[in-house]
Amino acid sequence: MSGYPESSSKENAIDFERIENGDDNRTTIMIKNVPNKYSQRALLDVIDVNHAGKYDFFYLPIDFRNKCNLGYAFLNFTSPKAILDFAKEFSGKRWDRYNSEKVCEICFGRIQGRDRLIEHFRSSRLMRKKDKYRPLLFDTAEPG
């Protein structure tokens, strides 16, 4: 059992061929092994180099006591195919910042889609915290 809230079971594995063929239409991924020193802004800066405008939801859970992230994040893409370039860039790669030995892992999230993510977090205690700890929503012009 891992320390993450969702497992990397086979059903949550990213299957490039199924996405390319249109057989898997999920859009929400979990990014694992994020170095704990990354803030929301720092992680988004890394993601946005090649993926700005391709996602509409981002959440990096924070441990409120020590002000560090919990080592994972959620990202909802506007189209399933946008996941392919993201996974090719990040999956299995070491993080560049903070001298980290952690290797990024990508899998599908348990909760899928922006609307379901919003519904999930709407009544959460998290929404009473400071804005910098809440999930972020983005408007995108068109699916990426």
Side-chain angles (χ1 to χ4, degrees):
M1 183 161 144
S2 73
Y4 297 108
E6 302 179 21
S7 68
S8 290
S9 69
K10 187 172 179 145
E11 66 189 36
N12 287 335
I14 306 290
D15 183 328
F16 284 64
E17 188 174 329
R18 286 183 43 79
I19 295 171
E20 288 169 350
N21 292 338
D23 295 330
D24 195 331
N25 293 313
R26 292 179 284 182
T27 56
T28 306
I29 63 166
M30 181 178 190
I31 306 166
K32 295 182 178 183
N33 298 327
V34 176
N36 301 96
K37 291 182 182 178
Y38 272 89
S39 64
Q40 276 190 344
R41 184 72 263 149
L43 185 54
L44 284 173
D45 286 346
V46 171
I47 291 169
D48 283 349
V49 169
N50 293 312
H51 307 282
K54 296 180 182 178
Y55 59 90
D56 56 16
F57 178 95
F58 172 82
Y59 177 49
L60 178 67
I62 301 293
D63 178 332
F64 304 118
R65 197 169 287 141
N66 66 25
K67 308 289 190 253
C68 290
N69 78 62
L70 296 177
Y72 59 93
F74 297 96
L75 197 59
N76 186 70
F77 286 93
T78 56
S79 81
K81 292 196 175 175
I83 292 171
L84 297 172
D85 288 336
F86 184 87
K88 287 175 187 171
E89 180 177 349
F90 288 98
S91 188
K93 306 282 182 4
R94 283 188 47 202
W95 296 92
D96 290 336
R97 294 187 183 171
Y98 306 117
N99 238 357
S100 178
E101 295 292 321
K102 290 185 175 185
V103 175
C104 181
E105 291 180 38
I106 311 283
C107 67
F108 284 112
R110 181 179 51 85
I111 299 169
Q112 284 294 313
R114 178 182 165 137
D115 291 343
R116 290 195 61 213
L117 289 161
I118 291 170
E119 187 60 35
H120 175 77
F121 287 105
R122 178 171 279 134
S123 59
S124 169
R125 292 182 315 195
L126 171 68
M127 299 314 288
R128 294 190 294 265
K129 298 288 184 185
K130 293 180 181 178
D131 286 348
K132 69 180 181 176
Y133 299 129
R134 295 180 190 170
L136 302 176
L137 299 175
F138 300 90
D139 290 322
T140 55
E142 55 188 273

